[in-house]
Amino acid sequence: MIKKLLLLGVLMNGKMHGYRLNEYVKHTMNFYKDLTKSAAYYILDQLEKDGYVTYATEREGKRPERRIYEITTKGKNHFLELLRECLGNYTPTSFGDDIGAAFIGRLPAEEVRNLLVNKRRKIQDQIEMYKGVGDHEGNLQYVINHNIAHLKADISWVDEILKNIGEENQ
Amino acid sequence: MIKKLLLLGVLMNGKMHGYRLNEYVKHTMNFYKDLTKSAAYYILDQLEKDGYVTYATEREGKRPERRIYEITTKGKNHFLELLRECLGNYTPTSFGDDIGAAFIGRLPAEEVRNLLVNKRRKIQDQIEMYKGVGDHEGNLQYVINHNIAHLKADISWVDEILKNIGEENQ
DNA sequence: TATAATATAGTCTAATCTGAATATTCCATA
DNA sequence: TATGGAATATTCAGATTAGACTATATTATA
């Protein structure tokens, strides 16, 4: 559902073929990491079956054929429906790293400390990455800020655990 | 992978049958919403095939048969491996709601405002829910704090957008 | 200029996941 | 005491996903 919204949303900007769509998501909407190539192609198929998009086949030089997807009127309406649903609801997020935290007591404090320092570094790298890309066009800036805010919350969280582990082990 | 860690982790506390495992995750580890009943059964099958768990079939009264799963030594080692991996790495999170935000300009500001107010309320409800459950045993408290921190970041984020939309539309 | 690496464009299979279905028992309530 | 709903316990078919694979073109490198 969210992935359909994503693909329809990109197609709202104009026609695009599958490969380009994937590149676009990968580079411009890089904050969303849950869409793989093949899933995108699969979803485009679904969207086409439901009449939300149509495609024309074309070929450039001797490269493989490609399908230029275009959103239909029905698709535009559907996009707006999905958008309303997305904006008016809250999608609860599961954090995989919570599972590790829940079982943290199963490893010696010393080892946990080292592991968490690594985690912290990787979170910091992500933050630098987002800061590095500079300003995005309008709405995307919201998304970047959102992700940075969450990453900072993660840093604080790791620090809280590190602090607690430190105290327990004196 | 994360789901295997979760199930093995619960089984580290002792034997349990599938149904009970699901109940446990649903109630005690309710911060993790990405494990459905049937997925859990599927993963238990996998774990059994890989020798990480064994099971004994039993029946209580005339209820359906059930499988009591028990973690093996191999399983315990695997659990620790997965735990190290989880604690020492950072799993990037994708926020579905970001997709909506990215296309926010496709709806009139007035409508967006109303929708976001709804979203905000739902986030607030989640926060109350977490605060309502009270103190958890040791490590789970970390996880609850983590989730509350993220929810608060979401509230601030929504407020930021609301503020911006307000200004644009004067 | 041969060779390697990357970009283009998408397909395919096997693994995984979801939601509905099954079948019994327990409990409340009318 | 009949009846409807929740709890127990899992299975199954069909939807979805991930990751490897195909095949050519272009660019970089030695």
Side-chain angles (χ1 to χ4, degrees):
Chain A
M1 222 232 41
I2 203 70
K3 297 181 184 180
K4 288 187 182 178
L5 175 61
L6 172 55
L7 293 181
L8 288 175
V10 176
L11 288 175
M12 287 293 285
N13 298 333
K15 302 179 188 185
M16 209 181 283
H17 59 88
Y19 187 80
R20 195 62 58 213
L21 256 166
N22 272 297
E23 292 295 300
Y24 185 85
V25 171
K26 190 167 149 193
H27 294 117
T28 306
M29 313 198 66
N30 64 334
F31 55 86
Y32 192 74
K33 305 131 207 128
D34 287 0
L35 186 77
T36 58
K37 250 152 92 88
S38 36
Y41 282 110
Y42 175 77
I43 291 164
L44 284 170
D45 271 4
Q46 298 314 104
L47 291 174
E48 197 267 336
K49 274 179 195 154
D50 292 338
Y52 297 136
V53 302
T54 50
Y55 66 82
T57 307
E58 83 162 25
R59 157 171 303 190
E60 191 175 301
K62 275 176 198 166
R63 297 203 158 286
E65 273 195 345
R66 61 195 188 188
R67 292 177 174 182
I68 315 287
Y69 286 95
E70 183 171 10
I71 190 166
T72 63
T73 303
K74 189 179 169 192
K76 286 177 188 173
N77 289 327
H78 190 57
F79 164 75
L80 291 174
E81 264 322 297
L82 295 179
L83 182 54
R84 287 189 191 98
E85 218 166 291
C86 183
L87 289 173
N89 286 289
Y90 177 66
T91 313
T93 307
S94 290
F95 299 96
D97 288 359
D98 281 347
I99 308 294
F103 299 125
I104 217 167
R106 298 282 178 187
L107 285 176
E110 182 60 26
E111 192 175 359
V112 170
R113 208 188 330 273
N114 291 324
L115 292 166
L116 288 183
V117 168
N118 277 331
K119 186 194 286 291
R120 194 185 193 288
R121 192 182 0 264
K122 285 168 187 169
I123 300 172
Q124 199 63 55
D125 288 349
Q126 283 286 310
I127 295 182
E128 302 310 327
M129 190 271 286
Y130 276 124
K131 286 190 174 160
V133 290
D135 289 337
H136 280 78
E137 30 167 319
N139 301 326
L140 285 191
Q141 192 59 51
Y142 287 136
V143 179
I144 303 303
N145 292 348
H146 185 221
N147 278 266
I148 291 177
H150 279 288
L151 287 161
K152 285 184 176 167
D154 282 328
I155 291 270
S156 302
W157 176 60
V158 171
D159 286 343
E160 182 204 337
I161 304 182
L162 279 170
K163 183 163 152 278
N164 261 50
I165 286 182
E167 281 164 12
E168 278 167 24
N169 249 46
Q170 280 322 315
Chain B
M1 224 230 46
I2 204 68
K3 298 181 183 179
K4 289 188 183 176
L5 175 61
L6 172 55
L7 292 180
L8 288 175
V10 176
L11 288 175
M12 287 293 285
N13 299 333
K15 302 178 187 185
M16 211 180 282
H17 59 90
Y19 189 82
R20 194 64 56 213
L21 257 165
N22 272 299
E23 292 295 299
Y24 184 86
V25 172
K26 191 167 149 193
H27 294 118
T28 307
M29 313 197 66
N30 64 334
F31 55 86
Y32 191 73
K33 304 131 207 131
D34 286 2
L35 186 76
T36 59
K37 257 149 91 85
S38 35
Y41 282 110
Y42 174 76
I43 291 165
L44 285 170
D45 271 5
Q46 297 314 104
L47 291 173
E48 197 266 338
K49 274 179 195 155
D50 292 339
Y52 297 136
V53 303
T54 50
Y55 67 81
T57 308
E58 85 163 23
R59 155 171 304 191
E60 190 174 302
K62 276 175 196 166
R63 298 204 156 285
E65 274 194 345
R66 60 196 188 189
R67 292 177 173 182
I68 316 285
Y69 287 93
E70 182 171 11
I71 189 165
T72 62
T73 303
K74 189 180 170 193
K76 287 178 187 173
N77 289 327
H78 190 57
F79 164 75
L80 291 174
E81 264 323 298
L82 294 179
L83 182 54
R84 287 189 191 98
E85 219 165 291
C86 182
L87 289 173
N89 286 290
Y90 177 66
T91 313
T93 306
S94 290
F95 299 96
D97 288 359
D98 280 348
I99 308 294
F103 298 124
I104 217 167
R106 296 284 176 186
L107 284 176
E110 182 60 26
E111 191 176 359
V112 170
R113 206 188 331 272
N114 291 325
L115 292 167
L116 287 183
V117 168
N118 278 332
K119 187 195 286 290
R120 195 186 192 286
R121 192 182 0 264
K122 285 168 186 170
I123 300 172
Q124 199 63 55
D125 288 349
Q126 283 286 308
I127 295 181
E128 302 310 328
M129 190 270 286
Y130 276 124
K131 286 190 174 161
V133 291
D135 288 338
H136 281 78
E137 30 167 317
N139 301 326
L140 284 190
Q141 193 58 52
Y142 286 137
V143 178
I144 304 302
N145 293 348
H146 185 221
N147 279 265
I148 292 177
H150 279 286
L151 287 161
K152 285 184 176 169
D154 282 328
I155 292 269
S156 302
W157 177 60
V158 171
D159 286 343
E160 182 204 337
I161 303 182
L162 279 170
K163 183 162 153 281
N164 260 50
I165 287 182
E167 280 165 12
E168 277 167 22
N169 249 46
Q170 283 321 317

